[in-house]
Amino acid sequence: MNRDKNIGINSNKGELEVSPEEKSLALFRSMYYQINAKPDSMSKVFAQKIIVSREDIIDLNERVNKKIRMHYQDDGYIATITVSLNNREVINFECWNEFLSYEWIESNCINSIILKWNFNIRMPQYEYPQNHVLMVKISNGLRPEEMLNLIFSGKIEDFEEIETNTFPVAARVDFIEPILGDELLNIVSEWIRGLKENNDKRNPFIILLRKYRKRVAQYFNYFALIMLIWLGVAIINKLVHDFNTNKLADFTSDQFLLLFDWIVIICVFLFASLKILNNLAHKIYDTLTQYGQGFAFSITKGDKKRQDEIRLYDEKNAKSILLKFAFSLIFNITCGIIAALLV
């Protein structure tokens, strides 16, 4: 009864009782939304094959600093760098002075570099400075699943190991002022256009095969199999013709057993050939995919060694693909000639 009485008293006052904790939370929310605006994000990826040096990274930082100081009044600025090596070692630089003074004597090559600028900018429509973030990830490419992660989440700092060279650079900006967001992404675009391109000499024929590598793999997988089937059919036809019989009922038991043996041998041979050709097609496809990818970094001793290894690897793969392609043509033509002669 006392509880009903208290509720009646509060109802007469036209208000519900609010705890001190709820009042503090409501006050905090009001102050937070007055101080901070909700940021938007933009992401962009770049497909240019580039080579990035230590001096190039310093140049990008100077461009970002110049843009902020020239057009905006900043109230706090933090720039960090995270470098991931291929041995899973991670080097963190909490400021640019640490990066500038670091001596790159590592024998391991770099997998990725994440550059992050976190700064506050005063804006007329807000009472307090607003936080903006520019993040640039340089790597040897983004996998398709990483691209989906970037598209749907806008995050580029938590990607796993890189395998392909499709998009060496990905950038994201969290902004309050849209103009500033566009300007920061344009800075990254201009910076990339000024980088040295990875334009080592490549075999133009291999590049053409790489462009249509799926079709090339299908050629190695199925065309040779078709020629082998044709050859097998020609052998069976030749064998039957040599029996000099007009009807199947006229076959002797020895002839029938000989025909059955040849059919079994040819079927087993075709089955084994299908497995071999399938593995060959996968290897050809993977080799063409890896051909001409290059390496995005030229910072550590390991980077320069990796570039030389990739160059030699491409030369070796080019010769291997050309030999396999020539052997495939000779093999298919030979099978066709033999089948034609048997028929």
Side-chain angles (χ1 to χ4, degrees):
M1 181 179 294
N2 291 335
R3 181 175 175 271
D4 295 338
K5 183 178 180 181
N6 291 334
I7 294 176
I9 294 174
N10 291 333
S11 300
N12 291 334
K13 292 181 180 179
E15 61 180 15
L16 294 176
E17 185 176 0
V18 179
S19 66
E21 292 80 6
E22 292 176 336
K23 290 182 179 179
S24 300
L25 181 59
L27 179 61
F28 172 78
R29 287 174 178 170
S30 177
M31 292 179 61
Y32 179 83
Y33 288 114
Q34 182 181 4
I35 295 174
N36 298 286
K38 183 179 179 181
D40 292 322
S41 296
M42 288 191 300
S43 300
K44 188 174 182 179
V45 293
F46 305 88
Q48 292 90 330
K49 293 184 178 181
I50 56 176
I51 297 179
V52 180
S53 66
R54 172 181 175 274
E55 290 71 24
D56 295 325
I57 295 176
I58 296 174
D59 175 51
L60 177 59
N61 180 57
E62 292 176 350
R63 294 185 185 212
V64 173
N65 285 337
K66 183 179 179 181
K67 169 59 64 176
I68 297 173
R69 293 170 180 171
M70 181 179 295
H71 299 285
Y72 300 92
Q73 180 182 359
D74 66 284
D75 289 75
Y77 176 92
I78 299 175
T80 58
I81 302 178
T82 302
V83 180
S84 299
L85 303 178
N86 67 333
N87 64 345
R88 297 186 180 275
E89 179 183 355
V90 178
I91 305 175
N92 292 307
F93 300 96
E94 299 301 328
C95 65
W96 278 91
N97 288 333
E98 293 181 5
F99 178 80
L100 293 176
S101 61
Y102 190 82
E103 296 183 4
W104 295 95
I105 59 175
E106 282 77 10
S107 58
N108 295 292
C109 58
I110 296 176
N111 268 357
S112 65
I113 296 179
I114 297 177
L115 312 171
K116 187 175 182 179
W117 293 267
N118 194 319
F119 49 92
N120 296 316
I121 291 180
R122 291 183 179 273
M123 305 174 66
Q125 62 270 41
Y126 298 102
E127 182 178 356
Y128 296 94
Q130 300 301 312
N131 181 254
H132 290 68
V133 178
L134 171 64
M135 187 178 298
V136 177
K137 178 166 185 176
I138 310 166
S139 65
N140 289 304
L142 303 182
R143 297 199 306 250
E145 57 266 32
E146 293 175 331
M147 279 298 303
L148 291 176
N149 182 29
L150 177 63
I151 293 172
F152 290 111
S153 70
K155 296 181 179 180
I156 62 175
E157 66 270 22
D158 55 356
F159 287 158
E160 300 174 358
E161 294 180 4
I162 304 304
E163 295 180 350
T164 65
N165 194 32
T166 308
F167 299 101
V169 180
R172 190 194 81 207
V173 58
D174 300 330
F175 61 91
I176 303 300
E177 174 56 56
I179 295 178
L180 177 59
D182 290 332
E183 289 175 343
L184 291 174
L185 289 182
N186 288 335
I187 287 175
V188 178
S189 300
E190 291 295 331
W191 174 72
I192 290 176
R193 278 193 282 267
L195 293 178
K196 179 181 178 181
E197 293 187 5
N198 193 341
N199 54 0
D200 291 339
K201 292 184 178 179
R202 303 284 189 262
N203 189 309
F205 180 68
I206 304 298
I207 294 296
L208 179 63
L209 294 181
R210 183 181 186 273
K211 183 178 180 181
Y212 301 101
R213 55 188 178 274
K214 184 177 180 180
R215 300 299 182 189
V216 173
Q218 290 174 342
Y219 161 78
F220 278 94
N221 195 6
Y222 299 116
F223 193 78
L225 181 64
I226 292 174
M227 299 304 296
L228 287 174
I229 292 175
W230 184 21
L231 178 60
V233 171
I235 292 174
I236 297 298
N237 289 340
K238 175 65 175 176
L239 184 64
V240 172
H241 289 156
D242 290 342
F243 289 161
N244 293 321
T245 56
N246 296 325
K247 295 184 297 183
L248 185 63
D250 296 334
F251 282 11
T252 66
S253 60
D254 291 338
Q255 290 175 334
F256 181 80
L257 290 175
L258 180 62
L259 178 62
F260 179 78
D261 291 342
W262 270 102
I263 293 175
V264 172
I265 292 172
I266 291 174
C267 289
V268 172
F269 180 77
L270 289 177
F271 180 78
S273 298
L274 178 61
K275 294 291 185 181
I276 295 173
L277 292 173
N278 187 45
N279 291 333
L280 177 62
H282 280 292
K283 290 181 179 179
I284 292 291
Y285 182 88
D286 293 338
T287 302
L288 289 174
T289 300
Q290 297 172 8
Y291 182 82
Q293 287 191 359
F295 191 73
F297 299 104
S298 180
I299 299 177
T300 68
K301 293 182 179 179
D303 293 341
K304 298 175 177 61
K305 180 180 178 181
R306 180 60 177 160
Q307 289 179 356
D308 294 336
E309 290 175 350
I310 290 177
R311 192 177 298 110
L312 294 175
Y313 182 77
D314 282 346
E315 293 176 0
K316 179 182 177 181
N317 281 343
K319 294 178 181 179
S320 175
I321 293 173
L322 290 175
L323 288 175
K324 290 176 180 177
F325 194 79
F327 176 78
S328 175
L329 288 176
I330 295 173
F331 177 80
N332 293 331
I333 292 174
T334 302
C335 289
I337 292 176
I338 295 174
L341 292 176
L342 291 178
V343 173

